[in-house]
Amino acid sequence: MAVLKYSRQREAIKNYLQGREDHPSADMVYDGIRGEFPNISLGTVYRNLSLLTELGEIIKIPTEGADRFDARVAPHNHFICKSCGRVMDIMISVKNPVEEINAQWYGGEVEECRMEFYGICNECKKMKN
Amino acid sequence: MAVLKYSRQREAIKNYLQGREDHPSADMVYDGIRGEFPNISLGTVYRNLSLLTELGEIIKIPTEGADRFDARVAPHNHFICKSCGRVMDIMISVKNPVEEINAQWYGGEVEECRMEFYGICNECKKMKN
DNA sequence: GTGGGTGCAAATACTTTGCAACCGA
DNA sequence: TCGGTTGCAAAGTATTTGCACCCAC
């Protein structure tokens, strides 16, 4: 791609993501920054999220339904609620098995491991009672 | 849901999945069984894949682009090629960290862990040379 | 001034759904 | 027969893209 040029919209999208604990979808980012940029378009949000993902400044997480985005790029793992779809960081570290996998598996070279833990979140458990 | 009734299409879809090493999308399943059922519709394929997923007879794997489906329901992990999108089983077992997570994390109760390993598959490496 | 970025709308990709006909129990 | 299932097409959701205008450099 050509030389990157500054854009206030891209800056705002990245800031918005960095200020969130959850993992918003493109649509949620769009809603979230319309206060600051009332005329921004959803296309611009998608374009910048893709660009930031390519640059490695954010991470894209495919889930059921819309993709989620995460400004925390350091390796970490996620909990995904089977009931409400919420995506949460799991902050505790478990041993990363990448070296183990590469030592034993020949389908390709593994660069990264993402663990996804599925279950029912506490919010949804409360609702059931 | 009401009582399940037998359907040749559903049977064929499940058989098709069980006979594959890869993890086809709905569209690939559709193409794959049109030989046997020339009049089957894509809607029927989607309906049955959803139903089988709910029944726990297959697994749905969200990825970039279309969802993939897997008839191997026993816990196992996947390698996803960043270049071609191919999804492959990683057959070697690494320790499942679910108990470790549940012992230390209070966001919810974890039932299942899926590890996704990202990298470049051997096929794509060959292409580059 | 040049070329990347934006807003807008149309297009595409993926998936679900309403409905009448069909078929398994 | 009864009600779940199918094929078809239309609708719905998620995402990408073409284009004229705008703005950073």
Side-chain angles (χ1 to χ4, degrees):
Chain A
M1 188 172 301
V3 177
L4 208 62
K5 202 175 282 191
Y6 173 84
S7 110
R8 292 184 304 132
Q9 287 88 336
R10 182 158 56 241
E11 185 79 25
I13 288 170
K14 194 176 167 188
N15 284 341
Y16 179 78
L17 274 183
Q18 286 175 334
R20 306 224 27 147
E21 286 289 297
D22 64 346
H23 304 72
S25 63
D27 213 55
M28 294 159 87
V29 173
Y30 176 61
D31 285 341
I33 66 176
R34 282 171 82 175
E36 191 179 352
F37 293 87
N39 294 319
I40 197 171
S41 77
L42 193 48
T44 295
V45 172
Y46 272 106
R47 265 188 298 241
N48 280 306
L49 288 172
S50 296
L51 183 51
L52 290 169
T53 301
E54 278 172 35
L55 294 174
E57 301 191 19
I58 65 174
I59 286 172
K60 186 204 283 201
I61 310 165
T63 67
E64 314 254 326
D67 291 341
R68 307 305 194 93
F69 297 88
D70 189 350
R72 185 187 301 231
V73 294
H76 65 285
N77 301 305
H78 291 120
F79 175 89
I80 300 177
C81 179
K82 288 179 178 179
S83 177
C84 67
R86 193 183 313 230
V87 180
M88 290 178 268
D89 287 336
I90 286 196
M91 282 76 57
I92 72 176
S93 66
V94 285
K95 180 173 173 291
N96 187 317
V98 167
E99 284 169 27
E100 187 177 349
I101 292 291
N102 264 335
Q104 300 176 49
W105 192 68
Y106 298 95
E109 186 177 346
V110 175
E111 295 168 8
E112 187 189 347
C113 170
R114 292 198 207 158
M115 300 189 213
E116 291 180 350
F117 298 89
Y118 292 84
I120 307 294
C121 74
N122 287 340
E123 304 300 319
C124 285
K125 277 200 176 154
K126 275 181 205 158
M127 302 276 278
K128 284 189 185 171
N129 299 337
Chain B
M1 187 173 302
V3 177
L4 208 60
K5 200 175 282 190
Y6 172 84
S7 111
R8 291 185 304 134
Q9 288 89 335
R10 181 157 57 240
E11 186 79 24
I13 288 169
K14 194 176 166 188
N15 284 340
Y16 179 78
L17 274 182
Q18 286 174 337
R20 306 223 25 145
E21 286 289 297
D22 63 347
H23 303 72
S25 63
D27 212 54
M28 294 160 86
V29 173
Y30 175 60
D31 286 340
I33 66 177
R34 281 171 82 174
E36 192 179 351
F37 292 87
N39 294 319
I40 197 171
S41 77
L42 193 49
T44 296
V45 173
Y46 273 106
R47 265 187 299 239
N48 280 306
L49 289 171
S50 296
L51 183 49
L52 290 169
T53 302
E54 280 173 33
L55 294 174
E57 301 190 20
I58 64 174
I59 286 172
K60 186 204 284 199
I61 309 165
T63 67
E64 314 254 327
D67 291 341
R68 306 305 194 93
F69 297 88
D70 188 351
R72 186 187 300 234
V73 295
H76 65 285
N77 302 304
H78 292 120
F79 175 90
I80 300 176
C81 178
K82 288 178 177 181
S83 178
C84 66
R86 194 183 312 231
V87 180
M88 289 177 269
D89 287 337
I90 286 196
M91 283 77 58
I92 71 176
S93 66
V94 284
K95 180 173 173 291
N96 186 319
V98 166
E99 284 169 27
E100 187 178 349
I101 292 290
N102 266 333
Q104 299 176 51
W105 191 67
Y106 297 96
E109 187 178 344
V110 175
E111 295 168 10
E112 188 188 347
C113 171
R114 292 198 207 159
M115 300 190 212
E116 291 179 350
F117 297 89
Y118 292 85
I120 306 295
C121 73
N122 287 340
E123 303 299 319
C124 285
K125 275 197 178 158
K126 274 180 207 158
M127 301 276 278
K128 283 187 184 172
N129 299 339

